[in-house]
Each structure stands twice: as C-alpha cells, then as structure tokens.
Amino acid sequence: MANSGIADIKCVPGKLIHYVNTGTVKESGEKHKGSVEIPNLSEENEVDDTEINVSKKKGEGDVLKDLMRTEGTMKVREALRDYLKALKTEFTLGMILPTKAPVGQELAAERRLSGNIMQDSPHSMDIVGVKIPTVKILMKETFNSPADELYGIFTTKELVQKFSKRPAVIEAEKGGKLQMFDGCVSGEYAELIPSQRIVLKWRCRNWPDEHYATVALNFKDLAAQTELQLECKGVPVSNEDSTRQCWKKQYFEEIHILLQQSKDSTE
C-alpha cells in the first residue's frame, strides 16, 4: 500500500502547470519523486477532460507512478477545480471599475478651475455645469404692463399656463421647481425680488445632461410700461439661436398676447 502528497505547485495561467510530487511507499519506506504535467488547462476545457501526464525521475520505482495515475489523478483534478474557481473570482474582482465622482464634487472642481474668466463679455466662453463652450445672451423687451403685473406672469402658475398654453410646475420661492412646455424647459428659482428681479437655474431638454444656464430677469418700471432685461448666461454655443427664439416666440410674444387679451376683457 502507498500514499502520496503534493508538495509544491507552480501555476502559470494559459501555459503548463507542473506539480512536483513526493510519495512514500509504506512497505519499503522508500521515497519517490516525480512530476505531473497538465498541458491543456483552460477555462474552455472541463476539468475532467484535462490531460494529466505523470512522470518520475530516472531510477525511481514505478509504484508511485501507478498510484498517481489513479488516485493521484483524482486529487489533481480536485485541486484544479479549486484553482480555476479562485482564478475566475480574482479576475472578476479586477474588472470592477471605480465609480464616477458625484456630480456635485465634479462641478465644484470645474468651477474652481474655470474661475470667473471673461464672464462680463456679452459673448464670453464660460464653463457652467459641464465643460462645454457657452455664450451669454442679452435681450430687452418692453411690455404694456406695470412691473408688478409682469412679475406675476412669471411667478403665478395659472398665468404661466395661460401664456404657455400647457400645464406647468411653478414653485415661486427660492429653490422652488420650474417646468414648462411639456418638460421642454425646466429648472428652479434661485432668487426672487417682487416686481424687480427673478433669477432662474434654467435649461432646455435637448441640452447636455445636467447643464444649466443662469437666467436673470430684471424688471425696469416705466410708469404704465415695463422694460424686461434678460441675461441668459451659460447657453451652449450650438443652442444660442434656438434659445433666443424660445424666449422671443414662446415667452415674449405669448405674454404680449396674454396682456392684450386681459386688456380687451376689461374694456
């Protein structure tokens, strides 16, 4: 009767794997040395189908070699199963990539880098939200309405829905949400000074994700009229024309119509 043990293991993925074995024959007490070679170890091959070649050193007896071809082969295949399982686990863990930094941290870092360069130029290239080229839009429009009435049109849900002709979300307070034109425009109120000034965090749906412009609406009271001064800073360069048209057609022209309808109804 004999037994055997695997003393050293040398594993090279995708190449030969050599096991150096030491066994002892009980009857004689002699020790024998040899090696096991697995030439086709791969995750594409079943462990039970792997070829296992047993050899012995010159001059060693055949007892250990015979034993390794039977019971030894079974033990080698058990070791191979454990090895392949550990190898796959290690590979999978190595494939886990680091997550992206939270948006807030990313934006803060970009703002620190961008600083306040050229922000006062009418067509300056700003960095707002995400790192894309932007422009600042300046527009003026005079309305036949006192400032408090015009201010109310931008901050009262019912009036916003009248001139936009669609349901809207209007939470006219600092941090309050804004959503208009079936979600084509969204944002929030950043500053409100009744009858004088509104500042919005504002974006169009087709802009790059998470990119917002800063819109300032200043109401200049001219007795029976009000001059509305609009500054829209941080508009993507590719969306400059469409943004101008949005304010001109969907805001200003529709508000003029609303004011005229209101005047006609009171006469």
Side-chain angles (χ1 to χ4, degrees), residues 75-98:
K75 292 185 178 296
V76 168
R77 284 181 172 147
E78 288 177 5
L80 289 179
R81 288 189 184 93
D82 293 339
Y83 168 69
L84 288 175
K85 182 178 179 181
L87 193 64
K88 288 179 181 179
T89 301
E90 186 174 336
F91 175 78
T92 302
L93 291 174
M95 290 299 291
I96 298 176
L97 300 176

Side-chain angles (χ1 to χ4, degrees), residues 20 36 49 52 92 95 97 105-106 111 131 142 158 160 173 186 189 207 210 231 253 257:
V20 180
V36 176
D49 296 331
I52 298 176
T92 302
M95 290 299 291
L97 300 176
Q105 295 178 13
E106 200 171 81
R111 291 191 183 103
K131 202 168 185 179
T142 301
E158 292 75 14
V160 170
E173 59 184 17
S186 61
Y189 290 88
W207 287 7
E210 302 301 324
E231 179 187 84
E253 290 186 6
I257 293 172

Side-chain angles (χ1 to χ4, degrees), residues 101-117 119 127-129 131:
V103 172
Q105 295 178 13
E106 200 171 81
L107 299 185
E110 288 175 356
R111 291 191 183 103
R112 286 197 297 272
L113 289 173
S114 63
N116 296 316
I117 298 173
Q119 287 185 353
I127 303 299
V128 178
K131 202 168 185 179

Side-chain angles (χ1 to χ4, degrees), residues 21-163:
N21 303 276
T22 301
T24 303
V25 180
K26 285 188 176 180
E27 287 84 349
S28 63
E30 295 180 359
K31 294 183 179 181
H32 302 273
K33 294 183 178 181
S35 65
V36 176
E37 183 179 301
I38 302 97
N40 64 335
L41 180 64
S42 167
E43 64 176 3
E44 298 176 358
N45 300 320
E46 295 293 333
V47 171
D48 291 336
D49 296 331
T50 54
E51 182 182 350
I52 298 176
N53 299 325
V54 180
S55 61
K56 64 181 182 65
K57 288 190 176 182
K58 186 176 180 180
E60 299 288 346
D62 292 328
V63 177
L64 180 61
K65 185 176 180 180
D66 292 339
L67 179 63
M68 288 301 296
R69 284 174 174 169
T70 54
E71 296 181 23
T73 295
M74 294 173 59
K75 292 185 178 296
V76 168
R77 284 181 172 147
E78 288 177 5
L80 289 179
R81 288 189 184 93
D82 293 339
Y83 168 69
L84 288 175
K85 182 178 179 181
L87 193 64
K88 288 179 181 179
T89 301
E90 186 174 336
F91 175 78
T92 302
L93 291 174
M95 290 299 291
I96 298 176
L97 300 176
T99 57
K100 186 178 180 182
V103 172
Q105 295 178 13
E106 200 171 81
L107 299 185
E110 288 175 356
R111 291 191 183 103
R112 286 197 297 272
L113 289 173
S114 63
N116 296 316
I117 298 173
M118 294 165 48
Q119 287 185 353
D120 294 327
S121 172
H123 291 279
S124 66
M125 304 298 281
D126 302 323
I127 303 299
V128 178
V130 294
K131 202 168 185 179
I132 61 173
T134 64
V135 296
K136 179 167 64 177
I137 294 174
L138 299 175
M139 300 176 69
K140 289 183 181 180
E141 189 77 10
T142 301
F143 295 90
N144 293 320
S145 166
D148 59 343
E149 182 180 359
L150 186 60
Y151 177 91
I153 289 176
F154 284 94
T155 55
T156 305
K157 180 177 179 179
E158 292 75 14
L159 295 177
V160 170
Q161 292 182 152
K162 278 188 177 182
F163 82 76

